Amino acid sequence: MKNKVYIFDTTLRDGEQAPGCQLNTVEKIEVAKALEALGVDVVEPGFPISSKGDFDSVVEITKAISKPVISPLARAIKGDIDCAAESLKYAKRKRIHTFISSSDIHIKYVFKSTREEILQRAIDAVKHAKRYVEDVQFSPMDAGRTENEFLAHFVEKVIEAGATVINIPDTTGYCMPWEFGEKIKYLVNNVKNIDKVTIAVHCHNDLGLATANALAGVVNGARQVEGTINGVGERAGNTALEEVIMAIKTNHGLEYDLGINTKKIYPTSRLISRLMKMPVQANKAIVGANAFAHASGIHQDGMLKNKQAFEIMQPKDVGLDETQIVLGARSGRAALKHRLEQIGFEISKEQLDALYPKFLELADNKKEVNDEDLQMLMGREGDIKQKIQIDLVEVVCGYPLKPMASVKLKIDGTEHIASMTGNGPVDASYNCVNQIINDAHLLKKIPVLKEFLIQAVTKGSDDISRVNVQLEHAKKMYYGFGSDTDIVVAAVRAYVDGLNKLV
Ligand code: KIV
Ligand code: ZN
């Protein structure tokens, strides 16, 4: 099928490398299943040599999904490749993805080596991977900044060694779309046997050009696009797959076959945002909260006359329900379950039974329960497993009072309570938590609060707040997240979430 464009998802590898986006094995399996339902062709489930946890997650993912090809990452090092091969023992469809840099700047400064030596390592790595699997993907890292002539020579040699997929990464997000397109065209025209392999593109978004570069790659001959959902990834992230998919789908004469169920895009995006605790910016293309919101009078008027006047795709194409059910105190379990599924939650009957009374409690406090509220309620389910749990947060504050807080925490089941003042209710509550950390000898040193971010999510004063914190402890960073209708409680939740990761 010459016009099939394969979608390679690296949310669980490149995406998960982004600060604060780390997932545990159970969460990774949930994401992998959602990606399978979305219809991606290849899943990069992790970098098995990087840790035992990553290795184990890859193994579990290979047991949980069967349709996509599973392609763990390995440096061009025998031990990495052996480990990747081992992680694939239960996989139905296997590929090993190995890489080494090809740009002069990386060869000289990162590897302190020469072009010849690096090329030999690439060839040896591909041959070694071939001992385990037929399907071997090779990436010349920083290909975006590699001279085209040398890149072509490099690629030809790794094809000769047995690579079946050649991935061209713009690792630093440096290329312009026309340069990147030219690079792919150059390889198509100058590499012997390039027609026997699939060319892939892997673009980073440092200049906001990742989607444009990926598309430029495709129109010049690439047939695999690599990226992540919501564009998550290191620095400015990777190509947002939902953007490439919908760009191909929106009638530009790009007649490529994609095996994607676009109606799963929105739920998958929400699931990943929730699990990674990485909010999607409101004006993000395709999946942002405002992506289909028409605010200006002229636009609204045009929309009422003919939707296509201002809409190039329909919300339902990406799984967004136009007629969103408004949930409230009279909504039943079926409506609650339906909405949860639409925003990416799978929920068993038992979970629904446990959640429903909490939903009604919230609905009594708020007229309308929105998606953010539901995410908060679902997130709260996870609290049960944590080492430190919040039992009580009470504050007295206001003008001209001195803010004062009392916090009760359970640490491994034992209750601890503290009352402190502060320069505001959040400060007073955090002082209580710190006091408890000291009293319970939980840590030798109190973590340093490096960042504190409050977001009021939606419109009204009764809506929920989300708080993200960054804690520094023993030269490492920990990320915490909390949400609640009460801003102080959300702040304490975020702090305790960060502490739970730390302890
Ligand atoms: O950006 C990059 O170069 C990568 C490679 C490992 C493919 O992620
Ligand atoms: Zn990358």
Side-chain angles (χ1 to χ4, degrees):
M1 236 198 296
K2 250 327 198 206
N3 259 352
K4 162 93 179 158
V5 171
Y6 294 92
I7 298 294
F8 177 112
D9 183 280
T10 182
T11 306
L12 293 172
R13 200 276 300 169
D14 226 346
E16 212 238 358
Q17 275 170 222
C21 286
Q22 283 62 48
L23 302 176
N24 62 36
T25 303
V26 175
E27 292 166 335
K28 285 184 188 175
I29 292 171
E30 209 177 333
V31 171
K33 284 185 175 166
L35 294 172
E36 182 177 50
L38 177 65
V40 306
D41 300 283
V42 189
V43 168
E44 187 163 58
F47 193 4
I49 194 78
S50 66
S51 68
K52 182 173 178 317
D54 222 38
F55 177 90
D56 291 343
S57 300
V58 175
V59 174
E60 293 311 317
I61 289 168
T62 64
K63 293 183 197 160
I65 61 172
S66 59
K67 286 193 210 121
V69 171
I70 309 284
S71 178
L73 187 68
R75 289 168 299 183
I77 295 175
K78 274 192 173 162
D80 279 32
I81 295 167
D82 296 339
C83 182
E86 171 76 10
S87 75
L88 285 174
K89 65 182 168 211
Y90 300 108
K92 316 276 174 315
R93 305 179 68 203
K94 321 172 179 213
R95 175 185 296 175
I96 292 176
H97 177 194
T98 183
F99 72 102
I100 197 165
S101 296
S102 57
S103 67
D104 287 332
I105 186 166
H106 279 211
I107 292 176
K108 185 167 174 198
Y109 294 104
V110 182
F111 290 90
K112 299 189 179 20
S113 187
T114 60
R115 283 182 170 188
E116 294 69 32
E117 262 177 35
I118 292 288
L119 177 52
Q120 193 54 49
R121 281 176 65 176
I123 293 168
D124 292 345
V126 171
K127 286 189 175 159
H128 190 63
K130 276 302 239 200
R131 295 177 48 205
Y132 294 111
V133 289
E134 174 45 36
D135 194 4
V136 174
Q137 170 163 332
F138 179 79
S139 296
M141 188 154 82
D142 204 20
R145 293 189 299 171
T146 302
E147 197 195 319
N148 284 351
E149 209 178 316
F150 176 59
L151 185 65
H153 173 63
F154 201 114
V155 166
E156 195 165 300
K157 292 293 170 197
V158 286
I159 295 176
E160 225 172 84
T164 47
V165 180
I166 296 293
N167 178 36
I168 303 301
D170 183 19
T171 306
T172 54
Y174 164 77
C175 290
M176 292 288 122
W178 50 94
E179 288 167 352
F180 195 69
E182 276 301 315
K183 192 174 278 290
I184 302 300
K185 196 175 189 178
Y186 186 88
L187 297 177
V188 169
N189 292 329
N190 291 284
V191 174
K192 200 166 132 210
N193 286 330
I194 193 89
D195 55 327
K196 309 279 186 320
V197 301
T198 302
I199 304 176
V201 285
H202 175 113
C203 302
H204 280 266
N205 204 30
D206 300 65
L207 294 172
L209 294 170
T211 298
N213 282 342
L215 290 167
V218 170
V219 295
N220 283 287
R223 286 295 175 271
Q224 176 174 292
V225 174
E226 305 201 359
T228 60
I229 300 296
N230 300 337
V232 287
E234 272 192 285
R235 311 186 308 278
N238 289 60
T239 302
L241 288 176
E242 66 276 11
E243 293 176 10
V244 173
I245 293 164
M246 292 317 288
I248 289 177
K249 293 265 181 193
T250 45
N251 281 329
H252 290 274
L254 301 174
E255 301 290 339
Y256 301 113
D257 299 322
L258 299 172
I260 297 293
N261 178 357
T262 61
K263 289 194 168 14
K264 298 271 181 198
I265 286 179
Y266 185 73
T268 311
S269 157
R270 291 295 122 171
L271 172 78
I272 288 166
S273 164
R274 173 172 63 82
L275 293 179
M276 289 192 160
K277 315 225 162 61
M278 177 63 100
V280 175
Q281 78 197 50
N283 59 337
K284 163 83 182 63
I286 318 293
V287 289
N290 293 350
F292 294 94
H294 299 271
S296 88
I298 297 174
H299 285 213
Q300 286 178 349
D301 180 57
M303 283 287 291
L304 291 173
K305 289 175 179 146
N306 180 344
K307 279 195 173 178
Q308 283 173 6
F310 286 99
E311 223 165 59
I312 56 167
M313 61 197 137
Q314 290 184 15
K316 67 173 171 27
D317 298 341
V318 298
L320 229 170
D321 195 356
E322 271 179 298
T323 51
Q324 282 186 11
I325 304 169
V326 176
L327 295 175
R330 285 199 191 84
S331 302
R333 277 160 217 256
L336 175 61
K337 183 165 190 285
H338 177 74
R339 189 70 211 143
L340 283 169
E341 281 168 358
Q342 277 183 322
I343 61 171
F345 289 99
E346 257 178 48
I347 182 160
S348 66
K349 189 181 169 311
E350 293 71 40
Q351 282 173 309
L352 185 64
D353 286 344
L355 187 76
Y356 191 64
K358 295 180 197 163
F359 161 76
L360 287 181
E361 197 185 310
L362 183 66
D364 274 342
N365 290 330
K366 292 188 76 200
K367 276 197 287 304
E368 288 177 6
V369 178
N370 60 32
D371 292 351
E372 301 292 343
D373 300 329
L374 293 182
Q375 290 187 359
M376 177 195 74
L377 280 176
M378 289 301 288
R380 202 65 61 70
E381 297 299 286
D383 289 358
I384 303 154
K385 301 164 214 135
Q386 304 287 9
K387 181 180 173 79
I388 313 172
Q389 289 179 43
I390 302 168
D391 254 11
L392 171 119
V393 178
E394 206 170 63
V395 289
V396 181
C397 63
Y399 181 78
L401 300 174
K402 173 104 183 134
M404 171 144 184
S406 295
V407 172
K408 199 199 293 178
L409 301 180
K410 260 201 196 116
I411 303 177
D412 288 329
T414 308
E415 270 182 15
H416 298 264
I417 189 154
S419 295
M420 303 289 290
T421 56
N423 66 8
V426 172
D427 188 47
S429 311
Y430 277 33
N431 288 341
C432 293
V433 176
N434 291 342
Q435 181 68 47
I436 293 174
I437 295 174
N438 280 334
D439 292 349
H441 306 292
L442 193 62
L443 296 168
K444 284 203 185 102
K445 251 181 118 182
I446 299 292
V448 181
L449 183 62
K450 290 301 250 194
E451 200 171 299
F452 179 87
L453 179 75
I454 297 187
Q455 285 175 293
V457 181
T458 44
K459 298 131 206 152
S461 59
D462 66 342
D463 268 320
I464 60 165
S465 325
R466 288 164 163 249
V467 176
N468 287 74
V469 295
Q470 249 185 55
L471 309 177
E472 193 187 56
H473 187 259
K475 298 205 171 102
K476 279 175 110 185
M477 281 298 183
Y478 299 87
Y479 297 83
F481 170 78
S483 59
D484 203 282
T485 45
D486 183 317
I487 216 158
V488 181
V489 177
V492 176
R493 282 188 195 288
Y495 191 22
V496 169
D497 184 47
L499 286 173
N500 271 315
K501 287 178 187 148
L502 205 163
V503 296

